Amino acid sequence: MSLTSAHSVVAPSANSKRIAGAIIIAYALISIVPLLWIFATSFKTPPDSIAYPPKIVFQPSIEGYCNLFTTRTRQTPEYINSLGPATGICDETARERNMVIAGPSNFLPRFVNSLIIAFGSTFCAVFLGTLSAYGFSRFKVPLADDLLFFILSTRMMPPIAVAIPIYLMYRELGLSDTALGMILLYTAVNVSLAVWLLKGFIDEIPREYEEAAMIDGYTRLQAFWRTVLPQATTGIAATAIFCLIFAWNEYAFASLLTSGTAQTAPPFIPTIIGEGGQDWPAVAAGTTIFLVPILVFTILLRKQLLRGITFGAVRK
Amino acid sequence: MLNRTADSVARATPEPLARKVRGISDKGLAWLFISPTILLLLAINIFPLFWAIYLSFTNYRANRSNEVVKNLGFANYQRILGDQDVWIAMQTTAHFVFWTILLQTVIGFTLAWLIDRKFRGHAFWTTIILVPMMLSPAVVGNFWRFLYQPQTGLFNYIVAFFTGVPPSSFEMLGSVQLAPWAIVIVDTWMWTPYVMLICLAGLRSIPEYIYEAAEVDRASNWRQFWSITLPMALPFIMLAVLFRGIENFKMFDMVNLLTGGGPGSTTEVASITLKRQAFESWRTGYSSAFAIILFVAVFGLANIYVKALNKVKQR
């Protein structure tokens, strides 16, 4: 589906267009306000973030980002005065609050976990998905429809339901709380989407290309490699981004199956605690950093979005 | 590598060419391509499912793995179906699914219908509207918890600003009456764009000549909407409802972060009950039985619904 296609079912009058536009713009603004608010909060100081009435104009501060990446301990003013000059801007903001930086926080390792698990599982899911999709698209597979439905139905299980046996299985195999375990799990969840989406894309590539290649003396595999893959690149890229977004956003499995070394960012961000409760600027800073890739992908993907969210069930 | 003789033979016999290739037969290749996926799904989905079925007949507890496992037969299932709390959780889930789908469908369809008018800049604003559904439900749940803070949250401030009710008098997440609606609001905020996108595809699929014919027949705008727009877009709306229904039946992340099932158990949807039984009370056998029941319910309802959807499509 294209959001910018020239075809429209109604021939609206200029006036109705204007009213429609006004309503849509109003809705868009309302729906984006929570995100803008989080972005603004990430640049507030903790007192500003919980001020009432909410502060729209405020002195920007990078304290939230400093608190996100470091741990701090409270010290007496005498001790702080006895220290040398502050090293770096984060140290300065910490000292203003009678604190010194004790070390790095867990955010960066959790963020790196998210990257490793999301990219690792995406690569595996797209790799397996491309092979299967080609298999289903081009060969007569016995029970193809049943197999495809089976692949789709694995997505219907509530994650918590599968989490219990997977938790036990991983405990036996030593995969609990490991990146490898999470990559395998997300690959299994994503491969259903990858197969369905890619089958749609590959179905659209005319078989004649491969037949021509095979007549020229290529084997089936060579024909796949030299003609189908290059043609499917856009589809593969779109599929990869959808898998990436899912793995990046996933929370249920991550919160139940990881607790320490392999924990990803979504279960970690809500646990950021400051002095006397949740450190909202730090949480907002973590959220902002976490959301940036998604925003970029949304803009890149807007034309493929419909396919991706409906498993290719709805095309243009 | 290339076998010229086989090649010339193949060239002489055009049709079965695709079947007979050097090295691996097509059939073998098909399995080579498909089996890794199937094997992975068997290992990570089907094997655990069967394990869960086995556990559902036992009194196994994952935190006491040394205890002797007893076979209970259908006792777990009986207990679940007779458990008041489980039925309440199912009801809560049904309420959420009903209200979120109703709101998302009505708002989503209206938005799609308006966007279809192609006002200036519609592509840009549509993209903005699509952003919430791309976010992580966990992160969304967490920052809405911030917006819902009773004393200082933006949501309470805005509501207070427009209604004059003092913001400290209503606690969206702490009140028994408001907490379920707090979750419905967040879910609607997040997923209305999803329904809107699918409805938009539905509206764009209606061929223009039908409207032209209706114009010739002097059908009123209202009539055109009820007789053309809505019925033609219906399969798409139903598809959106199916996808949202399955997802919201499984709803866990957002609820877990917004309220954790509270206050009391007013927002305890099935997934939260399941998590409490499985990972807090460690009643592994019992929760496995519950998981199986949930899975069968989603699967069964989805299948019935798809049959209805196909009937609508065929009309």
Side-chain angles (χ1 to χ4, degrees), chain A residues 33-45 48-49 55-56 58-61 65 281 284-285 288, chain B residues 146:
Chain A
V33 158
L35 284 172
L36 295 177
W37 193 250
I38 289 303
F39 180 70
T41 304
S42 75
F43 288 103
K44 288 181 179 176
T45 58
D48 275 355
S49 74
K55 279 196 178 178
I56 293 171
F58 58 92
Q59 181 76 39
S61 148
Y65 289 87
T288 305
Chain B
F146 176 56

Side-chain angles (χ1 to χ4, degrees), chain B residues 22-181:
Chain B
R22 291 151 299 264
I24 324 163
S25 73
D26 264 14
K27 206 170 182 190
L29 206 57
W31 280 113
L32 194 68
F33 275 23
I34 291 165
S35 53
T37 301
I38 302 293
L39 288 178
L40 181 77
L41 289 174
L42 286 176
I44 308 258
N45 261 302
I46 297 310
F47 174 66
L49 182 67
F50 277 95
W51 197 347
I53 292 175
Y54 159 72
L55 288 173
S56 72
F57 293 111
T58 68
N59 65 344
Y60 181 74
R61 296 174 88 98
N63 61 337
R64 295 185 212 154
S65 40
N66 293 329
E67 272 180 19
V68 185
V69 179
K70 260 199 309 201
N71 190 333
L72 299 178
F74 283 92
N76 281 329
Y77 288 91
Q78 264 174 344
R79 232 186 303 163
I80 288 164
L81 296 176
D83 189 338
Q84 192 77 38
D85 291 346
V86 166
W87 285 108
I88 292 173
M90 295 301 265
Q91 259 178 18
T92 312
T93 311
H95 277 138
F96 275 131
V97 173
F98 175 79
W99 283 109
T100 51
I101 287 185
L102 182 71
L103 286 170
Q104 286 164 30
T105 310
V106 171
I107 303 174
F109 182 80
T110 311
L111 291 176
W113 189 65
L114 292 171
I115 286 176
D116 201 36
R117 261 140 236 272
K118 298 262 156 42
F119 56 91
R120 190 194 285 254
H122 66 99
F124 172 78
W125 294 106
T126 310
T127 308
I128 295 238
I129 291 178
L130 293 177
V131 170
M133 75 174 195
M134 305 296 284
L135 310 178
S136 164
V139 170
V140 163
N142 191 49
F143 72 60
W144 270 87
R145 205 153 51 84
F146 176 56
L147 301 177
Y148 278 145
Q149 293 289 304
Q151 300 290 336
T152 57
L154 183 69
F155 181 87
N156 284 35
Y157 177 74
I158 291 173
V159 171
F161 186 84
F162 285 108
T163 62
V165 185
S168 50
S169 69
F170 60 101
E171 250 184 277
M172 287 304 284
L173 298 174
S175 129
V176 174
Q177 284 87 31
L178 293 176
W181 293 107

